[in-house]
Amino acid sequence: MNSQHIFRDFDKAIDALRADVLLMASLTRQNLERAMCSLLERNIDLARAVIADDSDVDDLERKIDQSGMEILARFHPMASDLRLVVTSMKMAHNLERISDHAVNIAKRSKKICKSSVLEEVGLAEPLYSMADSILRDSLMAYTDANAELGQSLKARDKELDRLQKQMVSALSRRLEDSNGRSENLLHLIFIAGSIERIGDLAVNMGEDAFFLGEARDIRHESRKNLTLDPTEESADD
Amino acid sequence: MKHSSIAISNLDFSYGSSPALNDINLEIPAKSVTAFIGPSGCGKSTLLRCINRMNDEIPIAKITRGGIYLDGIDIHDSSVDVVKLRRDVGMVFQKSNPFPRSIYDNVAYGLRLQGSLPKSVLDQSIEEALRAAALWDEVKDRMNESAFGLSGGQQQRLCIARTIAVKPSIVLMDEPCSALDPIATAKVEELIWDLKAHYTIVIVTHNMQQASRVSDKTAFFYMGNLIEFSETSRIFSNPRVKKTEEYITGRFG
């Protein structure tokens, strides 16, 4: 809805809510980028900054929840406005969890950086690039209420899952003759897990953006389709 | 049409040379609550008053095309007795309008018009109507006191009791809560919810939260046209028509 609301206060409140979500998204992406830089460039200070700045993201999550509740209580939004408020609150929740994963990556990065160079960290770079591009597009889908873009992320997340499995399997093989590097290799496996979860959370946000644009809930649809698929049943038989 | 309690078909209505309703087609299901919403002057109250031919009292008002059918019977058919029609299609107005009589006499009024009834039968019917209107417990010990001694919310529920005492099949409500405080409004809304088990209710309201709370279906009118008619949950969460979305989200005019 681009036209103005009868209450200018409502437009102001909605604009502020949306701005806070975008600010939170920007801080979250920055935290994730710095966490990965600290890992790839062996920069402990960056990792410390990520851990310290996570509280800004937490504060924004609380602020967005509070603003959303106030809008619901004061203005009783309907239809697309209601979806925007609900979706914004859910976005904030997902972003907070992504920022937590960035903190997890930073904490493990700190530990890896304190040991000798681990060449395998480079394996995480393509994973991060893909997760960040899914995350970026989920935010664009929210900003533009672009249902098509929001829905398209699931397929890209499957590719991310495949890359993560590949990385974990490569690292697991190296664990066997790790020569004292096993702890750091395990940290790297957990980092790959965090990046994979970030992809999942970005997909959730894409699904929320689809709901915002189309007023239809597509969460868990692939699982439903799977159970309802008659060919699947006959295959089981 | 046979499944619908009220069927409005191709209805055009005018006040003199000014058209007020254009080609309205609407099927209102029985034993449910249907809300009419829309900005002032959109024709929602005019349409409500057409359903029990209240507009007959306005000399320049006339239906110029189409008709309204109650259970398949054209309400403008020459065989239709208007007094009986208005007994079958009761109405509750914006401002509560009890008669300057006792609480008992207010509810008994319509019943007495139907002919003399034994006192015990009358008492029983009045108690039933007051109970159905969720007012019995509050007035049972003061039945002979003036209805004007009741609060605004109680007076409106008394009017609802008076309406349902004659056992209509349809109850029309024209902004029944607009003069009530939130607690009295909540009581009337709860009552509407309970009454739909036995009556077909059509409610005109400017309060969209009220429409979304009490109705099963909602019709949105604009400038004499029916813009959208659908399940209330659909209208208020994902309307199909842009005009409806603009109205319910407050981006209008």
Side-chain angles (χ1 to χ4, degrees), chain B residues 130-174:
Chain B
L130 285 167
R131 280 190 189 280
L135 191 60
W136 174 251
D137 289 339
E138 292 163 57
V139 300
K140 64 183 177 193
D141 300 323
R142 49 197 281 210
M143 296 290 278
N144 293 318
E145 290 177 21
S146 167
F148 291 143
L150 298 174
S151 70
Q154 287 172 325
Q155 285 188 19
Q156 192 62 304
R157 279 182 284 145
L158 179 69
C159 292
I160 294 172
R162 189 176 65 193
T163 302
I164 60 180
V166 295
K167 307 226 181 298
S169 56
I170 296 166
V171 179
L172 309 176
M173 296 184 168
D174 194 355

Side-chain angles (χ1 to χ4, degrees), chain A residues 3 5-6 79-81 83, chain B residues 209 236-238 245 249-251:
Chain A
S3 51
H5 196 274
I6 292 166
S80 56
D81 289 335
R83 295 200 299 277
Chain B
Q209 276 72 45
F236 288 102
S237 63
N238 186 26
E245 170 104 14
T249 57
R251 291 178 171 79

Side-chain angles (χ1 to χ4, degrees), chain A residues 86-149:
Chain A
V86 172
T87 302
S88 297
M89 292 164 82
K90 291 168 81 175
M91 293 285 289
H93 178 63
N94 281 315
L95 286 168
E96 191 276 332
R97 290 173 69 193
I98 290 174
S99 190
D100 282 349
H101 281 292
V103 169
N104 290 343
I105 293 169
K107 283 179 179 168
R108 292 186 188 280
S109 167
K110 259 173 70 182
K111 287 175 182 157
I112 291 172
C113 289
K114 282 176 185 164
S115 310
S116 55
V117 174
L118 186 71
E119 61 186 32
E120 284 87 351
V121 293
L123 293 172
E125 195 169 6
L127 228 64
Y128 159 66
S129 296
M130 181 162 281
D132 187 56
S133 97
I134 298 172
L135 175 58
R136 185 196 58 220
D137 285 350
S138 72
L139 298 170
M140 202 181 291
Y142 163 77
T143 316
D144 303 340
N146 184 338
E148 199 181 336
L149 181 60

Side-chain angles (χ1 to χ4, degrees), chain B residues 79-147:
Chain B
S79 64
V80 170
D81 174 356
V82 180
V83 173
K84 184 178 177 308
L85 171 73
R86 290 183 189 147
R87 196 163 61 225
D88 287 343
V89 186
M91 193 157 187
V92 177
F93 297 88
Q94 182 173 2
K95 194 172 181 319
S96 54
N97 53 353
F99 302 136
R101 292 163 186 248
S102 69
I103 294 166
Y104 183 96
D105 285 344
N106 262 274
V107 186
Y109 193 87
L111 293 165
R112 284 174 175 149
L113 285 179
Q114 290 180 27
S116 66
L117 293 169
K119 176 84 167 61
S120 59
V121 175
L122 197 59
D123 287 352
Q124 179 67 28
S125 301
I126 288 167
E127 183 178 334
E128 278 174 16
L130 285 167
R131 280 190 189 280
L135 191 60
W136 174 251
D137 289 339
E138 292 163 57
V139 300
K140 64 183 177 193
D141 300 323
R142 49 197 281 210
M143 296 290 278
N144 293 318
E145 290 177 21
S146 167

